Amino acid sequence: MNFDFFTDLFFSGITKGSIYALVALGYTMVYGIIGLINFAHGEIYMIGAFIAISMCSILAPLHISVPILLLIAISISIVFTACYAFTVEKIAYEKLRNSSRLAPLISAIGMSLLLREYVLLFQTSNFINFPELLPEVSWLDFMSDYLLPSQFIIIASAFTCMVALILFLKYTRSGIAMRAIAEDQVMTRLLGININSTISLTFIIGSALAAVAAVLISSYIGQANYNMGFIIGIKAFTAAVLGGIGSVSGAMLGGIVLGLSESFATGYISSDYEDIVAFTILILILLFKPSGLLGKKEIEKV
């Protein structure tokens, strides 16, 4: 076995898996609290990339340094995607929480199509060049044969976001409120917790993670497209199901496993099988372990 080739595939898989995990967290958080699959989440991710492109175009004449420009692009993208996610939740989901499961599902799909076509009208169906925002890190040159500086930045940023989310859910009042709603929404309401604002915050946090993922991976690839949210949405959803939908740690694990699986399949079989791997994993998990790797079987109360 060629060790250099193996390590290239390994770190490429970890890089992609980190992005899948960040986006999957948005799916799993929303599902864990209100039992809804937010199929518009992939489009929120896509909008985050286009917001960053617009911001970089506006700031280009100022000749801002790359690291500062990256932080600005991510920050502005987070703000705008948070506004979109908040609006989507209020318009498409809030009034349907107590309805049958089919109604919010149709609403989610409709909102996904609406956002995708909305961006298509204002942009183009062609791929758009994304500026290089990932700075060169000179002190990482010694490991450039195995791990590119841009890959290190993506992995480190994703890991930092995941740790921050875990700490937020564990130690902050809002995080504890989210976990309480996930356990028992009725009792949580009786305890005086504002259900609506907490659910909205969940959508906002999920969109923020998706925005970070969109800016990082778009800068790494060098392009963005109005349809990019569909594929990443399917794969992130697969990662969430693989790890156990509703489990934060499961979404992280599922993203990494999916990224590695795709990378090794591409390297040792063919790049044509990259997307097939994701769908095959999704089908196998749904058939043989619907609760996912770290998920728990739901017990219906009667």
Side-chain angles (χ1 to χ4, degrees), residues 37-302:
I37 302 298
N38 179 20
F39 283 113
H41 189 56
E43 276 57 50
I44 296 294
Y45 160 91
M46 174 266 295
I47 288 173
F50 277 96
I51 292 297
I53 291 176
S54 301
M55 185 53 53
C56 290
S57 300
I58 294 173
L59 297 178
L62 301 180
H63 303 290
I64 301 173
S65 63
V66 173
I68 299 299
L69 186 59
L70 174 62
L71 292 176
I72 293 175
I74 289 178
S75 300
I76 299 299
S77 182
I78 287 174
V79 171
F80 275 86
T81 54
C83 293
Y84 273 99
F86 177 82
T87 304
V88 166
E89 190 271 329
K90 291 298 181 185
I91 293 176
Y93 305 140
E94 183 175 353
K95 303 299 182 182
L96 300 175
R97 286 180 199 157
N98 298 319
S99 62
S100 65
R101 290 196 174 188
L102 184 60
L105 176 63
I106 294 174
S107 181
I109 295 174
M111 187 57 67
S112 171
L113 294 173
L114 174 64
L115 292 176
R116 192 165 71 102
E117 296 305 313
Y118 157 73
V119 173
L120 175 60
L121 288 174
F122 283 91
Q123 297 293 331
T124 173
S125 61
N126 300 323
F127 282 89
I128 299 177
N129 292 330
F130 197 97
E132 296 183 8
L133 298 179
L134 301 179
E136 294 294 329
V137 186
S138 58
W139 56 271
L140 288 174
D141 289 343
F142 74 94
M143 58 190 309
S144 59
D145 291 338
Y146 307 106
L147 178 65
L148 298 176
S150 55
Q151 291 177 327
F152 175 82
I153 293 172
I154 291 174
I155 295 170
S157 300
F159 179 77
T160 301
C161 290
M162 293 175 196
V163 171
L165 176 62
I166 291 173
L167 295 176
F168 172 83
L169 292 174
K170 189 172 183 179
Y171 294 111
T172 66
R173 293 186 64 181
S174 296
I176 294 171
M178 289 178 185
R179 291 190 285 124
I181 294 173
E183 289 293 329
D184 191 325
Q185 195 170 134
V186 175
M187 182 57 69
T188 304
R189 191 187 301 274
L190 293 175
L191 292 174
I193 294 175
N194 191 321
I195 301 290
N196 290 333
S197 62
T198 303
I199 292 175
S200 296
L201 180 61
T202 304
F203 276 83
I204 289 172
I205 293 174
S207 71
L209 295 174
V212 173
V215 175
L216 291 175
I217 198 64
S218 297
S219 182
Y220 178 70
I221 296 173
Q223 60 185 14
N225 179 263
Y226 84 103
N227 202 37
M228 62 187 285
F230 173 75
I231 293 298
I232 192 69
I234 293 295
K235 292 186 177 181
F237 174 67
T238 301
V241 173
L242 173 60
I245 191 74
S247 168
V248 171
S249 55
M252 299 176 191
L253 176 62
I256 298 300
V257 171
L258 181 60
L260 289 172
S261 300
E262 285 188 354
S263 183
F264 286 124
T266 300
Y268 289 113
I269 303 176
S270 170
S271 59
D272 296 334
Y273 290 92
E274 180 179 358
D275 293 337
I276 294 176
V277 169
F279 293 109
T280 301
I281 290 176
L282 177 60
I283 292 171
L284 292 175
I285 287 295
L286 291 175
L287 285 175
F288 299 106
K289 201 176 190 306
S291 59
L293 297 176
L294 300 181
K296 298 179 181 179
K297 289 186 177 181
E298 292 187 6
I299 301 175
E300 291 192 12
K301 298 179 181 179
V302 294

